[in-house]
Amino acid sequence: MAVADNDEGVYVSAQITMPGAEGEAWIQLPPETETDSEGAADAFFIIGLILAIGSDGVLEMDDAVSRRLIYNSQAAQDILRTWYPKQLVAARLDVPQRPEDKTPRLDRTVSCFTGGVDSFDTLIRNESDIDALVYMHGFDIPLSRTDVREPTSAHLREVASFTGKQLIEGSTNIRRFLNRAGKWPTLTHGAALSSIGHLLSGQFGRQMIPASHTYSDTFAWGSHPLLDHLWSSNRLSIVHDGAGSTRVDKTKRVAKYPAAKEHLRVCWQNTGKYNCGVCDKCVRTMVALSLSGDLPEFKTFDSEISTDAIRNLKISGMNSLSFVQENLDFAREQGATEIEAALNALVADFEARRKTKNASGSVAALERKIAPLERRLARVETNMKATKTRAVAAEKSVKSLQKLLPIRTWTKISNARYGK
């Protein structure tokens, strides 16, 4: 592992060896970033742990890691393996511990910022506490998409200028490795964001990770109120922020914020447009803004959303269901009957598909239970046939003997056999 200065700023790297992949994982940070070997060790410990539980279950490091972080990692493993018992394994750690950490910078806070609804909501509610915003290219936008990177960077700089916050804009290839351990949204992205916080722990004592869902959403997700704080060390506290509000509630707040009207970005399709306007995230956000009456004021979206676009939304799981349900509740509240009907049909279709899937699963489970019984019954039938065959053969043998021996001789043999 190494921390070195280069022409672009600070370059942090580590050699990673895991089943099916080997190479250098790196994070490029801007000039004047105060990153040291301790922060780098903690960052790569988190990344390494995810890689270990998602592959061969072995994590070996030469550099010493925060004692608190190592201790917390057991609970983090337990949570993740409870969520994904068939996918993840327990990790064996061969990692030295630091006897103590440096004094944390408790007076400074950095917040993860993508320009989305969750990011803006955390910024709005904690604006007086947040000192800096951090964004990493290579997370939601691939490193190869320089055409998307440039306009995104421009919007980020405008937001930082408007709010008076420091912007820490970097890039990394660590998702190349993390994708081998599991899916970005449901497993790895929270750990990835936390690792960046540790690289900045020489300047900031607290990192905020904007929540995707609420406390009432109990399904597994890569960034989660049960999980994020466990990535803290003695020098960095990680806060999962905003889980007390629904996405609709956040959108209502964001809708009144001038910088958001100019720079809100929710799209993950990377089509070349800042927001494509047709993907599920874009449509759901536009629905909420339309219901609140604020959509025409947002320059990064079209001023209208069609009912056909709403009908084409896809609900693929509990994550997307939660957001569609929130919009449905908001439509009812606003008396928007046409939007309500379209969203209600989507939810009903998903529930019907889920019931069919559950029924199919129940039938499959019953079939799995019946299969061993059918095999046992087949064996019994086979044994009965064999017994019947032997009985028929014995009867034939008796008849043959009766033909060969006089009846009196046969009677004497029978009496002698049974003691008569």
Side-chain angles (χ1 to χ4, degrees), residues 5 13 15 21 28 95 131 147 156 223 234 242 245 259 263 277 284 288 309 311 340 342 348 374 376 392 411:
D5 293 333
S13 61
Q15 289 296 319
Q28 177 69 59
V95 180
D131 300 284
D147 58 321
L156 292 170
S223 171
N234 285 331
S245 300
H263 307 291
R284 291 195 306 256
R311 292 193 186 102
E340 178 188 349
E374 289 179 333
R376 288 177 62 186
V392 170
T411 303

Side-chain angles (χ1 to χ4, degrees), residues 355-371:
K355 287 180 181 178
T356 300
K357 183 178 179 180
N358 290 340
S360 299
S362 299
V363 170
L366 183 59
E367 288 175 344
R368 287 194 296 271
K369 291 180 179 180
I370 290 174

Side-chain angles (χ1 to χ4, degrees), residues 63-269:
D63 296 85
V65 172
S66 163
R67 184 186 299 272
R68 179 185 176 189
L69 183 54
I70 292 176
Y71 178 81
N72 286 348
S73 70
Q74 184 58 60
Q77 284 191 69
D78 291 343
I79 292 169
L80 291 170
R81 290 180 60 236
T82 299
W83 288 344
Y84 308 111
K86 296 181 180 180
Q87 177 183 348
L88 305 179
V89 299
R92 176 181 63 80
L93 306 183
D94 184 6
V95 180
Q97 297 183 8
R98 288 196 302 271
E100 60 182 5
D101 291 331
K102 292 181 179 179
T103 303
R105 293 291 305 273
L106 296 177
D107 59 328
R108 288 178 59 77
T109 298
V110 61
S111 183
C112 299
F113 189 82
T114 63
V117 171
D118 298 328
S119 296
F120 263 114
D121 181 68
T122 289
L123 174 60
I124 292 166
R125 290 183 297 97
N126 302 279
E127 192 163 359
S128 61
D129 296 324
I130 292 173
D131 300 284
L133 307 173
V134 59
Y135 177 81
M136 298 301 296
H137 296 280
F139 279 177
D140 61 335
I141 298 177
L143 293 172
S144 60
R145 294 301 305 272
T146 55
D147 58 321
V148 181
R149 176 172 179 164
E150 292 306 319
T152 301
S153 295
H155 281 281
L156 292 170
R157 289 192 293 269
E158 289 291 330
V159 173
S161 176
F162 176 85
T163 59
K165 308 302 179 186
Q166 177 188 359
L167 176 63
I168 302 172
E169 188 179 357
S171 58
T172 179
N173 75 337
I174 62 174
R175 188 169 173 179
R176 168 198 160 197
F177 296 92
L178 289 171
N179 285 346
R180 292 183 171 274
K183 294 181 179 179
W184 178 256
T186 55
L187 175 61
T188 64
H189 78 278
L193 294 173
S194 300
S195 70
I196 302 304
H198 284 282
L199 293 176
L200 304 176
S201 59
Q203 297 167 268
F204 305 95
R206 181 170 61 168
Q207 177 192 26
M208 287 187 172
I209 297 180
S212 300
H213 296 283
T214 70
Y215 291 115
S216 63
D217 295 319
T218 57
F219 50 83
W221 201 245
S223 171
H224 196 280
L226 283 177
L227 191 60
D228 287 356
H229 69 99
L230 295 174
W231 302 127
S232 300
S233 69
N234 285 331
R235 63 185 288 188
L236 178 71
S237 294
I238 297 177
V239 178
H240 183 88
D241 180 78
S245 300
T246 66
R247 182 69 60 82
V248 165
D249 289 336
K250 293 177 182 179
T251 304
K252 291 177 184 178
R253 275 193 292 269
V254 168
K256 309 304 178 186
Y257 196 65
K261 295 178 181 181
E262 301 281 340
H263 307 291
L264 184 66
R265 179 180 77 91
V266 301
C267 191
W268 59 273
Q269 294 286 5

Side-chain angles (χ1 to χ4, degrees), residues 346-384:
L346 291 171
V347 173
D349 177 68
F350 174 78
E351 294 295 351
R353 285 187 283 116
R354 186 163 62 165
K355 287 180 181 178
T356 300
K357 183 178 179 180
N358 290 340
S360 299
S362 299
V363 170
L366 183 59
E367 288 175 344
R368 287 194 296 271
K369 291 180 179 180
I370 290 174
L373 297 177
E374 289 179 333
R375 289 193 293 270
R376 288 177 62 186
L377 180 59
R379 287 196 297 269
V380 170
E381 290 176 344
T382 300
N383 291 337
M384 289 177 66

Side-chain angles (χ1 to χ4, degrees), residues 391-403:
V392 170
E395 185 177 355
K396 288 181 179 179
S397 297
V398 169
K399 289 181 178 179
S400 297
L401 286 172
Q402 287 176 337
K403 290 178 180 178

Side-chain angles (χ1 to χ4, degrees), residues 44-58:
F44 276 108
F45 172 80
I46 295 172
I47 296 166
L49 183 68
I50 297 296
L51 297 181
I53 64 176
S55 59
D56 61 355
V58 178

